[in-house]
Amino acid sequence: MKYSKTYIDNFFTNINDYHSMVELLVIAYTEFRERDTLPDWYVELREMMNWQAQSERSGVCTYYETLNDVSATIVIRNLETKEENEILTMFNMGINKYNDETIMEHIDQWILENEEKIEKYLMNLLVINKDWFYRI
């Protein structure tokens, strides 16, 4: 085990804290950064956190400008499977539309207004994969 149980426990105990979610993403990134194939849950987590973060920093258009088709497909499929229809609708709305300022502003506003919903989704995704963190 690369990380102590206490170290990982701290992040899951404080999973409501965005910082804990970011730290768990960093741990996963460290494990997966040199791999050619990534698990879908990690791609989903990475993309959803980046989607939200880039919206807050510089606008969601910067996220969509660099979104690749493989990552988008994984996120869409996972959102559909989990029946996260509202997030799915907003995520899909911006694909290949990053030059449309009206759509980008609408998505940014929705992300801002639904921060709690998105973070709950991210927390659930991390908790579902909690065992993975204890196995590394």
Side-chain angles (χ1 to χ4, degrees):
M1 176 185 270
K2 201 180 257 190
Y3 304 96
S4 73
K5 180 182 181 313
T6 305
Y7 184 72
I8 299 296
D9 281 346
N10 180 55
F11 296 128
F12 280 102
T13 299
N14 298 300
I15 196 73
N16 291 341
D17 178 11
Y18 189 75
H19 173 75
S20 291
M21 289 189 281
V22 169
E23 288 301 318
L24 290 167
L25 175 66
V26 169
I27 290 169
Y29 169 78
T30 301
E31 291 299 310
F32 294 130
R33 70 175 170 222
E34 309 233 349
R35 295 190 186 175
D36 293 330
T37 305
L38 301 171
D40 285 358
W41 71 265
Y42 169 73
V43 173
E44 178 183 10
L45 178 67
R46 179 193 69 202
E47 293 303 316
M48 294 306 295
M49 289 185 83
N50 284 336
W51 183 63
Q52 181 183 24
Q54 288 185 3
S55 172
E56 292 174 3
R57 277 192 225 112
S58 57
V60 76
C61 65
T62 58
Y63 172 79
Y64 286 109
E65 285 175 336
T66 61
L67 177 62
N68 71 56
D69 292 340
V70 173
S71 295
T73 299
I74 290 169
V75 170
I76 291 166
R77 182 180 62 233
N78 289 355
L79 288 168
E80 288 171 343
T81 299
K82 293 173 182 142
E83 297 182 355
E84 288 288 349
N85 298 324
E86 192 174 4
I87 296 172
L88 173 63
T89 297
M90 297 312 295
F91 184 81
N92 274 336
M93 187 181 295
I95 294 175
N96 298 319
K97 303 242 178 33
Y98 53 85
N99 287 323
D100 187 324
E101 289 181 28
T102 302
I103 290 174
M104 294 298 110
E105 288 173 10
H106 178 71
I107 296 169
D108 282 331
Q109 186 62 39
W110 184 89
I111 289 171
L112 178 65
E113 292 171 359
N114 290 276
E115 185 176 286
E116 189 174 310
K117 177 189 297 274
I118 295 165
E119 288 179 5
K120 182 178 178 188
Y121 174 77
L122 294 169
M123 284 185 281
N124 288 336
L125 183 55
L126 285 162
V127 169
I128 288 167
N129 292 285
K130 185 177 185 177
D131 290 344
W132 178 86
F133 288 91
Y134 286 99
R135 287 193 308 263
I136 57 171

